[in-house]
Amino acid sequence: MPLSHSDRRLLQRLIETGHALEKLWPDGEAISERIECASSPCDADIAESEERKTLLSKLKNYICECAEAHDEDLKRLAFHERDLTETMTARHLGTILVPFERLLGRTLRDDEFLVTDTDDRERVRDVRPLRVVVDNIRSAFNVGAIMRTSECFGAEHVHLTGYTPTPDEKKTAQTSLGANEAIPWSTAPDAKATIEDLKREGYTIVALETAERAVELDSFVWPERVGLLLGNERFGVDRDTLALADHVVRIPMYGRKNSLNVGIACGIALAHWREHLSDRAVTYSPIGVFRSPAVHPYEATRQGSVEKVSEIGVIELESRRDFEQALSDLEGFERAWIVYDFHHNPNWKPMVKPPRGPATKRGVFATRSPYRPNSIGLSSVEIVKVEGLRVHVRGFDLLDGTPVLDIKPYLPYADAFPAARAGWTEGLDDAAYEVKFSERAIGQLAWLEERGVSQLRGFLISQLEFDPLDDSRKRLMTSPLGAENVSTAPSFHRIAYRTWRADFRVDGRTVVIEGFVSGYSDDDLAAVVDTYADKLLHRSFKTAFR
């Protein structure tokens, strides 16, 4: 039978008093002990102790009244009055309140659970370089739980994007249990701009999603700087947003269900990340980030100093006065070593196929491959100028957003050994092809470079100067006979670079780039969707080079 009005009112008062008492009850101490053990208790301690005694007396009276209740179950709970003592623990008090709460037909909301006195408000947070991007999540409860979990595991920042509720909303603030005041957070209308900003700062975007390309969390090696991307409770991470992720990981499932609550999934991922951090014997903090026109791995030159890269890259150091001092006198050197992190490579390989030479696997320690046990890179660059905290360099092979770990001057007397043996690389130049561009290709390339397609020339030279027809290491396809920009000579091939295609032919030891075509069909260009935001450029190219 439902509770009578008087019984329900009694239960509500009883539970409200019990919760108020819980918030004031000291862990593991009797009410009198805190006063008696204190050498000189302050007025606030005495007042708090008196308030607890008053609430305890009030709660005992309400439980005694249960003996006169109409409901038989409520009557039977009246015996708990004798269990309420000044020597009971906080856990004991909570156990007494549970049957009353269940009888009223309610359970504690997440924001009603107590933050115990052991929570150290003065402790400095052990923050590590991980930022949580929460995109288009609807539930304030989930957002509060994610903020609370992120703070507990020492994440740097929580980015709330799309229509995700913020801690400015009462429910989110309540369920975060104060975490919204302990961890920095910000909002943005969409995740794309936030992700792009994080990548420019050297963060690797890791999406937590059950997608086809996802790898198991158990086998995933976390990068040094992480942007953890979480999506909608029902639909997951938006498809276009997911395409921006550098890695996608999923939590292995062993039951019938194939997904978890997003807040719980976030906790599992952060626990794995934190455990991975503790396994590292040595950790480094980047001193800055590299700014480069090369954004994607396939745009990177193989050896910047060898391939004569003329573009300028910039090492942007963090805004610290001591870094300005550390850069003193660097401009007097012609070259410098940059030590950095291969932030696009989460795993290493013992055997790799270098881009130069035959398609033979080599031991990674005998190569310059980025797939190393410790993802540390080393490049020699030409110093152009030093401006404040910015070092402008030429002849680099770093991608945009690369975390920079150190800068060292290049010393010819100590670093140059021209007569040193070069192992398996000796004689490779004899096998290199000469890469030439036809007159038409030169005109098209100049047109593209004027409009920002700056990496195409270097990409083609590095891809085609060795084994130009090796389709195991290149995106090759047969060039259609009679295709635009291509003569009718036989044996033409096509190589892909992002959304562009280059047609070439091999003539002895020479590769001739005949021309360029768009990777979009006419139907593709007519479609509204513009994933790479470059369709206008392709339309203009087709008009200019019919």
Side-chain angles (χ1 to χ4, degrees):
M1 292 180 60
L3 293 172
S4 67
H5 177 73
S6 60
D7 286 354
R8 179 171 290 276
R9 186 170 179 79
L10 172 62
L11 266 176
Q12 288 172 338
R13 290 175 175 174
L14 185 155
I15 292 170
E16 288 173 2
T17 303
H19 289 170
L21 184 59
E22 273 191 303
K23 292 179 180 179
L24 294 175
W25 202 270
D27 282 350
E29 294 181 23
I31 290 178
S32 58
E33 286 178 356
R34 181 169 288 186
I35 300 298
E36 293 172 357
C37 294
S39 58
S40 55
C42 64
D43 292 342
D45 286 337
I46 295 173
E48 186 178 291
S49 179
E50 290 302 319
E51 184 179 359
R52 285 196 294 266
K53 287 181 179 180
T54 299
L55 288 171
L56 178 60
S57 176
K58 190 175 179 180
L59 180 60
K60 289 168 71 77
N61 289 336
Y62 282 137
I63 293 180
C64 284
E65 288 182 32
C66 291
E68 306 298 326
H70 296 91
D71 186 85
E72 291 298 323
D73 290 330
L74 184 54
K75 280 184 180 182
R76 283 193 287 270
L77 294 178
F79 77 91
H80 279 300
E81 181 273 337
R82 69 172 183 261
D83 297 325
L84 295 172
T85 67
E86 293 186 6
T87 59
M88 66 182 175
T89 63
R91 184 185 295 273
H92 188 177
L93 173 59
T95 302
I96 293 172
L97 292 176
V98 167
F100 292 99
E101 291 171 341
R102 288 178 176 169
L103 193 57
L104 187 61
R106 71 185 293 275
T107 57
L108 282 177
R109 299 190 307 272
D110 194 65
D111 59 282
E112 292 180 305
F113 285 99
L114 300 179
V115 177
T116 67
D117 289 346
T118 57
D119 287 349
D120 190 349
R121 299 283 181 172
E122 302 300 322
R123 182 173 60 200
V124 177
R125 297 180 65 235
D126 180 13
V127 176
R128 300 301 178 93
L130 180 143
R131 298 191 172 211
V132 182
V133 182
V134 186
D135 187 43
N136 289 336
I137 286 183
R138 295 183 61 179
S139 166
F141 172 85
N142 283 335
V143 176
I146 290 169
M147 295 197 72
R148 184 176 170 189
T149 303
S150 300
E151 195 283 329
C152 286
F153 282 104
E156 285 182 303
H157 192 102
V158 177
H159 299 270
L160 307 173
T161 62
Y163 51 70
T164 301
T166 73
D168 293 330
E169 299 181 27
K170 183 178 179 181
K171 288 184 178 180
T172 308
Q174 285 178 334
T175 53
S176 74
L177 289 182
N180 58 299
E181 297 176 0
I183 185 171
W185 59 272
S186 59
T187 62
D190 66 81
K192 182 179 179 181
T194 297
I195 290 172
E196 290 174 347
D197 287 343
L198 288 176
K199 286 189 173 184
R200 279 192 291 270
E201 293 175 26
Y203 288 82
T204 301
I205 306 303
V206 180
L208 191 59
E209 184 60 272
T210 55
E212 275 189 27
R213 67 184 179 106
V215 299
E216 295 285 327
L217 180 63
D218 292 344
S219 61
F220 184 66
V221 178
W222 292 91
E224 288 288 340
R225 296 162 73 88
V226 182
L228 181 62
L229 177 60
L230 309 173
N232 180 271
E233 293 94 333
R234 180 178 179 187
F235 303 108
V237 180
D238 178 78
R239 183 179 62 180
D240 292 340
T241 305
L242 189 64
L244 301 175
D246 300 299
H247 307 285
V248 183
V249 298
R250 63 171 176 264
I251 298 169
M253 302 287 168
Y254 303 103
R256 293 183 178 180
K257 303 300 292 182
N258 64 0
S259 64
L260 289 168
N261 169 272
V262 65
I264 294 173
C266 175
I268 294 172
L270 289 180
H272 186 272
W273 164 71
R274 196 73 197 198
E275 182 180 12
H276 172 72
L277 287 181
S278 66
D279 289 340
R280 292 179 178 171
V282 180
T283 59
Y284 298 97
S285 296
I287 61 173
V289 66
F290 195 84
R291 297 302 179 201
S292 166
V295 177
H296 304 282
Y298 55 79
E299 294 177 316
T301 54
R302 304 302 180 185
Q303 298 291 334
S305 58
V306 174
E307 295 179 24
K308 309 298 181 185
V309 178
S310 60
E311 293 171 313
I312 303 297
V314 181
I315 304 170
E316 293 184 353
L317 298 188
E318 293 183 354
S319 299
R320 288 173 44 176
R321 183 175 178 80
D322 53 353
F323 280 175
E324 290 186 28
Q325 297 172 335
L327 283 175
S328 299
D329 306 316
L330 180 64
E331 199 165 13
F333 292 86
E334 181 177 332
R335 304 190 68 83
W337 295 104
I338 306 178
V339 183
Y340 54 93
D341 176 55
F342 287 117
H343 63 302
H344 278 277
N345 293 320
N347 302 302
W348 79 285
K349 301 175 183 178
M351 301 291 290
V352 295
K353 285 184 181 180
R356 291 167 58 89
T360 302
K361 284 192 174 184
R362 310 283 183 180
V364 70
F365 293 146
T367 75
R368 298 290 186 92
S369 168
Y371 298 100
R372 319 196 74 80
N374 294 300
S375 57
I376 299 174
L378 178 69
S379 293
S380 173
V381 297
E382 177 188 350
I383 299 174
V384 178
K385 63 179 177 178
V386 179
E387 283 184 331
L389 291 170
R390 295 162 59 91
V391 182
H392 300 254
V393 301
R394 185 187 290 114
F396 56 87
D397 51 4
L398 285 75
L399 294 175
D400 188 58
T402 297
V404 177
L405 303 178
D406 201 0
I407 303 171
K408 298 178 183 291
Y410 178 91
L411 302 175
Y413 77 89
D415 296 339
F417 302 93
R421 289 183 290 111
W424 62 267
T425 66
E426 292 182 353
L428 282 185
D429 289 341
D430 296 336
Y433 287 69
E434 182 183 7
V435 180
K436 292 184 176 181
F437 295 83
S438 71
E439 184 175 342
R440 180 177 179 81
I442 291 173
Q444 292 175 323
L445 192 57
W447 189 93
L448 289 169
E449 288 175 338
E450 286 175 3
R451 289 157 180 80
V453 187
S454 59
Q455 303 296 303
L456 183 51
R457 185 190 301 267
F459 169 83
L460 290 173
I461 293 174
S462 64
Q463 287 283 307
L464 299 177
E465 66 176 345
F466 289 96
D467 289 334
L469 302 183
D470 179 9
D471 58 6
S472 67
R473 294 185 290 179
K474 316 176 198 299
R475 293 176 61 196
L476 296 181
M477 55 201 81
T478 302
S479 177
L481 292 177
E484 60 177 312
N485 306 336
V486 183
S487 69
T488 56
S491 301
F492 277 95
H493 305 272
R494 180 169 288 183
I495 186 170
Y497 168 80
R498 302 194 69 187
T499 54
W500 297 96
R501 307 290 182 263
D503 290 305
F504 69 93
R505 58 186 173 85
V506 179
D507 185 4
R509 302 299 300 178
T510 302
V511 175
V512 181
I513 311 295
E514 291 287 353
F516 300 91
V517 296
S518 169
Y520 292 115
S521 66
D522 291 338
D523 290 340
D524 291 334
L525 290 177
V528 175
V529 177
D530 191 1
T531 303
Y532 301 103
D534 63 350
K535 286 188 176 180
L536 180 59
L537 180 62
H538 280 260
R539 295 189 193 102
S540 299
F541 178 85
K542 284 198 169 187
T543 301
F545 300 98
R546 292 186 180 280

